[in-house]
Amino acid sequence: MSKPLILVTNDDGITSAGIKKLIYLMAEIGEVVVVAPDSPQSGMGHAITVGDTLRINRNDIFGDIEAYECSGTPADCVKLAKYELFPDRKFDLVVSGINHGSNSSISVLYSGTMSAAIEAAIEGMPAIGFSLCDYDHDADFSHIDDTLLHIARETLKKGMPKGIALNVNFPEKREQPIKGIKVCRQANAKFEDAFDEREDPYGRKYYWMVGSLVNHDKGEDNDEWAIAHNYVSIVPCQFDLTGYFAINYFNDEWDI
Amino acid sequence: MSKPLILVTNDDGITSAGIKKLIYLMAEIGEVVVVAPDSPQSGMGHAITVGDTLRINRNDIFGDIEAYECSGTPADCVKLAKYELFPDRKFDLVVSGINHGSNSSISVLYSGTMSAAIEAAIEGMPAIGFSLCDYDHDADFSHIDDTLLHIARETLKKGMPKGIALNVNFPEKREQPIKGIKVCRQANAKFEDAFDEREDPYGRKYYWMVGSLVNHDKGEDNDEWAIAHNYVSIVPCQFDLTGYFAINYFNDEWDI
């Protein structure tokens, strides 16, 4: 039986520690190809490159594993892999990450990692975004191997419901081992932003966005709760943004 | 009674014809302030600027209307307006657009126009993204005034359900006037992409993303159907991406 074909991408760029880890884990269970951004793309959301050119270059940093770096966004990488680089092959799984930092709760909207997974889901491919809730460049990934492989294997075995990509967040390494997996809803949390105003050497103002996540969710069935309690969170994410509950409201209450 | 305060932004940039139209329409019903990108940001999805600096400059192209141009994305503009430029004021309405081109069906995910509206909804502000299904730079906007103003007035009067931003798409100008408004779900359509391969003057390959929307939806309750039949489509969009229907599936079928 031939090995499953697995596409690996990310948003931190092809030289990040997280994608290297993911590539070598996936190589244990499938044939891996890599198409990843040539530079960090954090916070890119579901951006695509429509008004500019795209470059693709073969990269041999992963030895025998076929890898390409791309000048575009994570979503571009998935489109290029499917339509340009591997038009005659069928990916059994698309994985994105491992992101250096959380993509839980509202961060899923800003996440380049998840935009790649969601783009793959739009194309009908089983897809998972993996993130580690540790922003350290030298983050310790040693505690997540078994759970990550288990989630990938379950996906390969059982497939993915139509219209869904998984947003998987691992807690940072703690003294106690991970307690297990929780399938969650997206927590009701948002960033309280602030802007750090500075002056450049020419006397002109500029700003850095700073902000912190504020969790307004009191429930225990959401991803923030799970991660805080040392569980791996899985949120099934959909790309149909329709708020169905609101359709009747507008028809009933508005003068349409 | 004081006029409602309306924030106007977009993704085509502060000099586009669409935002100018929107600003002058909103000035009929409220006090308008503008914070918009200083350059086109189409296809930016829900990108934010996390690894780079932001610049803001006052711009007087709209005369007495207080306007700022920003180096960031549409979502950045909303964050800057709320947290940096107008921290002590409360926006009664945030409008984004009018986009030059459709943001119906799956395009909502790639849309900078809608990311601004969704960012505003995350901040609890009533928000609408307006798009005209005409990509022409000199597109005719003359047929949409009444409907656009009606939708804005209804929002000011009745508010917006929690967690919802509106994705409003106007059909391009036709011989017959617009038939009316339909509250819709997001159509099941996606882009079939292709990449136009070219060679630069130095002999290196580069690519342009090209592609066309393919509509797989047979229903009549979706935005593609409405626009094709000369209706204005309104899709209530949510930023909770959880696919609730899938949570039980994973708990039941997966070895968790």
Side-chain angles (χ1 to χ4, degrees):
Chain A
M1 208 180 112
S2 69
K3 281 180 165 182
L5 182 64
I6 303 175
L7 172 65
V8 182
T9 188
N10 78 340
D11 78 342
D12 290 317
I14 198 163
T15 60
S16 72
I19 197 170
K20 187 174 177 183
K21 174 87 181 174
L22 187 54
I23 288 165
Y24 288 112
L25 284 173
M26 291 301 102
E28 294 183 23
I29 58 174
E31 178 192 347
V32 173
V33 297
V34 180
V35 184
D38 60 14
S39 61
Q41 297 280 321
S42 292
M44 282 304 278
H46 210 105
I48 52 171
T49 303
V50 287
D52 206 347
T53 58
L54 287 163
R55 301 273 186 173
I56 313 169
N57 286 300
R58 183 75 194 255
N59 188 312
D60 62 3
I61 51 172
F62 304 114
D64 289 343
I65 292 171
E66 189 175 352
Y68 299 86
E69 58 180 29
C70 157
S71 60
T73 66
D76 290 336
C77 289
V78 173
K79 288 176 179 283
L80 283 164
K82 179 180 162 80
Y83 289 102
E84 180 64 28
L85 290 165
F86 303 99
D88 302 323
R89 301 202 66 183
K90 183 176 165 293
F91 294 110
D92 298 296
L93 177 62
V94 179
V95 290
S96 178
I98 304 167
N99 192 59
H100 292 250
S102 167
N103 279 317
S104 58
S105 67
I106 199 69
S107 298
V108 67
L109 269 83
Y110 308 111
S111 165
T113 304
M114 278 307 297
S115 77
I118 288 172
E119 185 65 35
I122 292 170
E123 294 293 348
M125 302 186 276
I128 314 167
F130 292 110
S131 304
L132 177 67
C133 297
D134 186 334
Y135 292 88
D136 197 323
H137 202 73
D138 296 318
D140 188 339
F141 287 90
S142 62
H143 57 308
I144 68 173
D145 295 20
D146 291 348
T147 314
L148 193 154
L149 280 168
H150 178 68
I151 293 168
R153 284 195 180 105
E154 285 289 287
T155 305
L156 284 169
K157 197 177 349 174
K158 292 168 181 162
M160 191 68 69
K162 195 164 152 21
I164 291 289
L166 298 186
N167 183 16
V168 177
N169 282 269
F170 297 96
E172 77 284 7
K173 182 158 184 167
R174 303 179 195 174
E175 285 192 20
Q176 300 298 320
I178 286 171
K179 280 186 193 160
I181 297 171
K182 293 271 187 198
V183 185
C184 303
R185 61 176 172 80
Q186 176 183 322
N188 175 25
K190 74 183 239 339
F191 284 90
E192 300 287 341
D193 288 303
F195 291 89
D196 182 356
E197 183 182 312
R198 302 193 181 185
E199 196 169 280
D200 71 17
Y202 318 103
R204 296 181 61 217
K205 283 194 285 190
Y206 66 97
Y207 301 86
W208 293 101
M209 188 185 295
V210 289
S212 50
L213 191 76
V214 179
N215 188 359
H216 299 283
D217 206 314
K218 305 292 181 206
E220 301 192 349
D221 55 347
N222 65 75
D223 52 0
E224 290 297 327
W225 187 94
I227 297 159
H229 291 78
N230 208 21
Y231 288 94
V232 177
S233 69
I234 299 184
V235 177
C237 294
Q238 60 187 21
F239 50 83
D240 178 356
L241 304 192
T242 313
Y244 287 93
F245 71 93
I247 290 180
N248 285 345
Y249 165 82
F250 289 106
N251 280 324
D252 293 345
E253 302 296 327
W254 275 34
D255 174 21
I256 297 280
Chain B
M1 207 179 109
S2 69
K3 280 181 165 181
L5 182 64
I6 303 175
L7 172 65
V8 182
T9 188
N10 78 339
D11 78 342
D12 290 318
I14 198 161
T15 60
S16 73
I19 197 170
K20 187 175 178 183
K21 174 87 182 175
L22 187 54
I23 288 165
Y24 289 111
L25 284 173
M26 290 302 101
E28 295 184 23
I29 57 174
E31 177 192 349
V32 173
V33 297
V34 180
V35 184
D38 61 14
S39 61
Q41 299 280 321
S42 292
M44 281 305 278
H46 210 105
I48 52 172
T49 302
V50 287
D52 207 347
T53 59
L54 287 162
R55 302 274 187 172
I56 312 170
N57 286 299
R58 184 73 195 256
N59 188 313
D60 63 2
I61 52 173
F62 305 115
D64 290 341
I65 291 172
E66 188 175 351
Y68 298 86
E69 58 181 27
C70 158
S71 61
T73 66
D76 290 335
C77 290
V78 173
K79 288 175 179 283
L80 283 164
K82 178 178 164 81
Y83 289 101
E84 179 64 29
L85 291 165
F86 303 99
D88 302 322
R89 300 201 68 184
K90 184 176 165 294
F91 294 110
D92 299 296
L93 177 62
V94 179
V95 290
S96 178
I98 305 167
N99 192 60
H100 293 250
S102 167
N103 278 317
S104 59
S105 69
I106 198 70
S107 298
V108 67
L109 269 82
Y110 308 111
S111 165
T113 303
M114 277 307 297
S115 78
I118 288 173
E119 186 64 35
I122 293 170
E123 293 293 347
M125 303 187 275
I128 314 167
F130 292 110
S131 304
L132 178 67
C133 297
D134 186 336
Y135 292 88
D136 197 324
H137 202 73
D138 296 319
D140 189 338
F141 287 89
S142 63
H143 58 307
I144 69 172
D145 295 20
D146 292 347
T147 314
L148 193 154
L149 280 167
H150 177 68
I151 293 169
R153 284 194 180 105
E154 284 289 286
T155 305
L156 284 168
K157 197 178 349 173
K158 293 170 182 162
M160 191 66 69
K162 194 164 152 25
I164 291 289
L166 297 186
N167 183 16
V168 176
N169 282 269
F170 297 96
E172 78 284 7
K173 183 158 184 164
R174 304 180 195 175
E175 286 192 17
Q176 300 298 319
I178 286 171
K179 280 185 190 160
I181 297 172
K182 293 272 187 199
V183 185
C184 304
R185 62 175 172 81
Q186 176 183 321
N188 175 25
K190 74 182 234 351
F191 283 91
E192 301 285 341
D193 289 303
F195 291 89
D196 182 356
E197 182 182 313
R198 301 193 181 185
E199 197 170 279
D200 72 17
Y202 318 104
R204 296 181 59 214
K205 285 194 284 190
Y206 66 96
Y207 302 86
W208 292 100
M209 188 185 295
V210 290
S212 50
L213 191 75
V214 179
N215 187 359
H216 299 283
D217 205 313
K218 305 294 181 205
E220 300 191 349
D221 55 348
N222 65 75
D223 52 0
E224 290 298 324
W225 187 94
I227 297 159
H229 291 78
N230 208 20
Y231 288 95
V232 177
S233 68
I234 298 184
V235 177
C237 294
Q238 59 187 22
F239 50 83
D240 177 357
L241 304 192
T242 313
Y244 286 93
F245 72 93
I247 289 180
N248 284 344
Y249 165 81
F250 288 107
N251 281 324
D252 293 347
E253 302 296 326
W254 276 33
D255 174 21
I256 297 280

